[in-house]
């Protein structure tokens, strides 16, 4: 029988390579596994189980040469301006003349440079034939920090930032005219100026450049539009202890004005934060000159976003200079014609005038906070807004960049830390940032920040390799229109290092996956399937030691329709916050009308009982996903795929695959289908199994399942290609699938010190 089968299969293999349509198994198992690691051990958890300590190279993961998604640094950099009594910069000072304290503790200076903007500014007019300097604010292609440093060295970088959501028509025109005047008459050869606007989103109208013509064209685009009517920056609802003296003319069911103002204020502050984050990629000090008609807070609701904006600016070495575009004006008591008539006796008691003054002051408080806490200044009640520019330039004529590393004893809790700088020069005036927010590690992140971090990792184009992870996917048909894609991930045992170091006996992991459709070679923005799990692994001392010597394996899945997709999988260990990502392009084949097709060929060394565990939970989502049971579950048992496909000779190899036969192109009994395995090494056939019948047949979905088990002790060590062949006896129907494995010699003797795992010993599948 074996000899006959080998002859038949040899002929079918040759034909199948040429004629067989691409199956799910062929799509997912295109490369052999790694050949390093240890064998799998059994476990009693159906989705997170101990597994071999052999991370498989993520051959399917896309590797890009770009900056990593996240980077942390304990280096604090502060720009320090040192001037004499007349305001002239003092140059040529040395690091020894500076002393820096952080929360009252003296710091050792590690970075010390001087940006001599005055030298470029006084060198004379720029060469008219020279090519203009252009420094992209958000470059689509990575630019080295060295190249950026060369471009911006000894330059003053100014961002003209127009908040169009707060300025009325008159304020906008006033701001535009002052910007034009600055570019024409006040801009110096040392200035690199950018133009950025905010409506419902940030828009860069001009990158940092000294090209006057380009800047003028960008400023000329500023025209009155509907954005200015989104919110009245002057109005603030009455706070506790105050009373509202304006008439209410809104409809009965309009949105609450305070709620709208909170949302609008947060959006304005988020825009400042976003701009600062973008500018962080450009070295050196940057100044944001914000034209606005005020930002009014309504209480504690806006404090979080205000702090986030301030923190982002300080981390990015950005100073904010706020210019109140309303300028210098007086308003009649009770307001002008645009203000509702006051009610009651407020006009006669003076309450209307006091409240009017309070409103304007409230709209300026946030601007003052932003500027003061970032080393900038505020400019209120200016008759000519352009009067602010010479003062801003004077603030940025030259500065020392002083850096130091915070000590290991500093808690990464995001708290405010006060900085003080002294210069040992008699009569010197020193100006610097008064502090910064300490780095915030994962343990101090709020729940919303943790969720956002995971979402950012899913949507980022950059891989993260902090947490070693390997992922294996497969495909099993549920119906003509749905395919189940199991996602199995193996995490390195190093994920438990933090818990062991801190004496903990549990570890928590977050898993997230997102599948997007691919059309015309482009990944579409909308996800067609998502997966999200938070799993806590409780470990007693014995099991903790067992798992720490092996690995952890996660099992989930999604349901997809036939098509082309891109998978992004993210795993995070929730003590240290380390993240690992995996990406893969996959094609879910459509069913063939008249041909038999094969699923993925899964290889495993363990089968676990299907039972609920406090450690795991299988999650499945997708297009109308209603999965009662996974195809990997049969008779109360679940096969646990080997992600690394790495085995040892003392193990038993379990192979699972399904054949999907056509509706009735020919007359044959699906129970008469027969399948076998052929093992190839170095391109030569070295072994084969007998022909076996299906272990289960589902006439409704026209699926025949095969489960084959065999000991690996008789196979020599090495790398193998495993060919699964299914043939319909007496018909022309046949299907092929392939997977790969690496086999290592069994240990010569068991390790007596190794813990004995508590596992569920499953019944071996029956073969026919």
């Amino acid at each position: 029988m074996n000899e006959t089968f080998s002859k038949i299969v040899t002929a079918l293999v040759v034909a199948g390579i040429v004629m067989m349509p691409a199956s799910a198994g062929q799509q997912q198992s295109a490369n052999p596994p790694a050949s390093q690691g240890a064998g799998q051990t059994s476990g009693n958890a159906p989705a997170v189980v101990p597994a071999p300590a052999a991370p498989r190279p993520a051959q399917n993961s896309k590797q890009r040469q770009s900056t990593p998604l996240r980077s942390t640094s304990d280096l604090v950099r502060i720009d320090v301006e040192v001037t004499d009594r007349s305001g002239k910069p003092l140059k040529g000072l040395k690091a020894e003349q500076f002393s820096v304290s952080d929360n009252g503790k003296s710091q050792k200076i590690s970075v010390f440079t001087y940006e001599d903007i005055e030298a470029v500014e006084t060198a004379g007019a720029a060469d008219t034939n020279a090519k203009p300097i252009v420094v992209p604010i958000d470059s689509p292609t990575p630019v080295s920090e060295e190249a950026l440093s060369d471009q911006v060295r000894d330059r003053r970088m100014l961002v003209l930032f127009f908040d169009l959501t707060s300025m009325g028509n008159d304020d906008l025109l006033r701001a535009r005219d002052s910007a034009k005047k600055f570019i024409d008459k006040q801009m110096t050869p040392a200035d690199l100026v950018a133009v950025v606007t905010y409506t419902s989103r940030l828009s860069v109208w001009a990158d940092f450049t000294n090209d006057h013509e380009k800047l003028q064209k960008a400023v000329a685009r500023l025209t009155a539009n509907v954005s200015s009517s989104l919110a009245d920056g002057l109005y603030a609802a009455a706070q506790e202890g105050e009373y509202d003296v304006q008439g209410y003319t809104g409809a009965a069911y309009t949105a609450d004005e305070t709620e709208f103002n909170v949302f609008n204020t947060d959006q304005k502050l988020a825009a400042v934060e976003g701009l600062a984050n973008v500018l962080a990629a450009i070295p050196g000090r940057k100044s944001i000159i914000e034209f606005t008609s005020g930002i009014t807070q309504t209480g504690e609701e806006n404090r979080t976003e205000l702090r986030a904006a301030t923190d982002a600016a300080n981390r990015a070495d950005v100073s904010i200079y706020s210019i109140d575009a309303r300028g210098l004006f007086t308003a009649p008591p009770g307001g002008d014609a645009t203000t509702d008539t006051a009610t009651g006796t407020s006009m006669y008691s003076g309450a209307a005038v006091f409240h009017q003054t309070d409103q304007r002051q409230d709209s300026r408080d946030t601007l003052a906070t932003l500027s003061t806490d970032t080393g900038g200044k505020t400019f209120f009640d200016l008759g000519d807004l352009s009067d602010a520019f010479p003062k801003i330039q004077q603030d940025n004529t030259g500065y020392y960049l002083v850096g130091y590393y915070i000590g290991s004893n500093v808690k990464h809790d995001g708290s405010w830390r006060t900085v003080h700088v002294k210069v040992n020069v008699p009569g010197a005036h020193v100006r610097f940032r008064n502090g910064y927010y300490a780095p915030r590690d994962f343990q101090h992140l709020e729940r919303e920040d943790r969720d956002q971090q995971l979402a950012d990792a899913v949507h980022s184009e950059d891989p993260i390799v902090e947490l070693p992870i390997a992922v294996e996917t497969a495909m099993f048909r549920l119906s003509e229109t749905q395919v189940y894609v199991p996602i199995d991930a193996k995490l390195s045992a190093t994920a438990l290092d933090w818990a062991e170091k801190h004496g903990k006996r549990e570890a928590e992991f977050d898993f997230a996956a997102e599948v997007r459709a691919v059309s015309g070679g482009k990944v579409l923005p909308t996800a067609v399937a998502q997966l999200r799990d938070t799993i806590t692994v409780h470990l007693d001392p014995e099991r903790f030691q067992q798992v720490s010597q092996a690995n952890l394996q996660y099992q989930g899945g999604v349901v997809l329709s036939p098509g082309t997709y891109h998978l992004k999988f993210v795993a995070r260990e929730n003590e240290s916050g380390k993240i690992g990502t995996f990406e893969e392009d996959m094609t879910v084949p459509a069913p063939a009308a008249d041909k038999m097709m094969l699923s993925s060929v899964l290889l495993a060394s363990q089968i676990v009982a299907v039972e609920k565990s406090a450690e795991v939970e299988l999650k499945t989502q997708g297009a109308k996903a209603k999965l009662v049971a996974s195809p990997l579950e049969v008779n109360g048992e679940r096969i646990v795929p080997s992600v690394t496909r790495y085995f040892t000779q003392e193990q038993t190899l379990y192979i699972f695959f399904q054949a999907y036969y056509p509706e009735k192109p020919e007359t044959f009994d699906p129970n008469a289908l027969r399948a076998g395995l052929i093992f190839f090494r170095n391109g030569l056939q070295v072994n084969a199994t007998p022909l076996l019948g299906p272990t289960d047949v589902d006439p409704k979905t026209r699926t025949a399942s095969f489960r084959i088990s065999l000991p690996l002790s008789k196979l020599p060590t090495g790398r193998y290609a495993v060919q699964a062949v299914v043939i319909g006896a007496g018909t022309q129907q046949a299907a092929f699938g392939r997977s790969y494995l690496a086999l290592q010699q069994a240990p010569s003797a068991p390790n007596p010190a190794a813990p004995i795992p508590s596992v569920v010993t499953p019944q071996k599948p029956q073969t026919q």
Side-chain angles (χ1 to χ4, degrees), residues 316-560:
D317 203 3
V318 169
S319 295
I320 300 174
Y321 294 85
S322 302
I323 299 179
D324 190 341
R326 291 168 293 188
L328 178 62
F329 72 96
T330 57
D336 55 19
T338 63
T339 306
D340 294 336
T341 303
T343 58
T345 61
S346 58
M347 279 291 295
Y348 309 100
S349 64
V353 177
F354 287 126
H355 188 56
Q356 182 180 351
T357 304
D358 289 342
Q359 288 174 345
R360 186 170 190 182
Q361 188 59 43
D362 287 343
S363 69
R364 290 176 168 178
D365 284 345
T366 305
L367 303 181
T369 301
L370 277 173
S371 297
T372 302
D373 289 349
T374 60
K377 292 182 179 179
T378 54
F379 298 91
F380 302 143
D381 299 322
L382 293 179
D384 186 349
L385 302 186
S386 62
D387 290 345
F389 289 106
K391 298 178 181 179
I392 297 173
Q393 290 171 317
Q394 183 64 30
D395 264 3
N396 295 273
T397 53
Y399 60 91
Y400 293 90
L401 189 62
V402 180
Y404 61 91
Y405 289 93
I406 59 176
S408 58
N409 59 334
V410 175
K411 293 183 179 180
H412 288 202
D413 56 1
S415 61
W416 176 263
R417 301 187 63 82
T418 303
V419 174
H420 190 72
V421 180
K422 292 182 179 179
V423 178
N424 187 19
V425 176
H429 177 70
V430 184
R431 187 167 175 266
F432 53 88
R433 298 174 189 272
N434 58 2
Y436 67 98
Y437 289 104
R440 186 188 294 269
D441 59 21
F442 186 79
Q443 288 300 306
H444 292 91
L445 289 180
E446 301 294 338
R447 180 182 180 87
E448 294 78 6
D449 295 329
R450 293 190 180 195
D451 291 341
Q452 185 61 47
Q453 181 199 51
L454 205 63
D456 291 342
V458 171
H459 297 138
S460 172
E461 295 183 356
D462 300 314
I464 310 175
V465 293
E466 299 168 339
L467 182 66
I469 181 176
V471 178
E472 175 85 356
T473 60
M475 297 185 190
F476 296 92
R477 186 189 300 175
L478 301 176
S479 66
E480 296 291 325
T481 59
Q482 289 190 335
V483 172
Y484 175 62
V485 180
I487 302 174
D488 294 273
K490 181 173 293 183
L491 283 71
S492 171
T494 57
L496 299 174
D497 288 349
W498 195 97
E500 183 177 14
K501 180 179 179 181
H502 293 79
K504 297 204 171 191
R505 289 298 179 263
E506 68 176 27
E508 185 181 80
F509 298 88
D510 275 332
F511 300 94
E514 186 173 274
V515 181
R516 296 186 181 186
V518 177
S519 178
K522 295 183 178 181
V523 179
L524 302 181
T526 304
V528 298
Q530 294 175 315
L531 180 150
R532 177 67 186 273
D533 273 330
T534 299
I535 295 174
T536 301
V537 182
H538 300 282
L539 303 167
D540 55 40
E542 179 181 351
R543 183 164 172 77
F544 182 88
Q545 185 66 19
Q546 171 202 347
V547 176
S548 65
Q549 291 180 0
N551 280 337
L552 291 172
Q553 186 163 324
Y554 166 81
Q555 192 169 6
V558 295
V559 176
L560 301 174

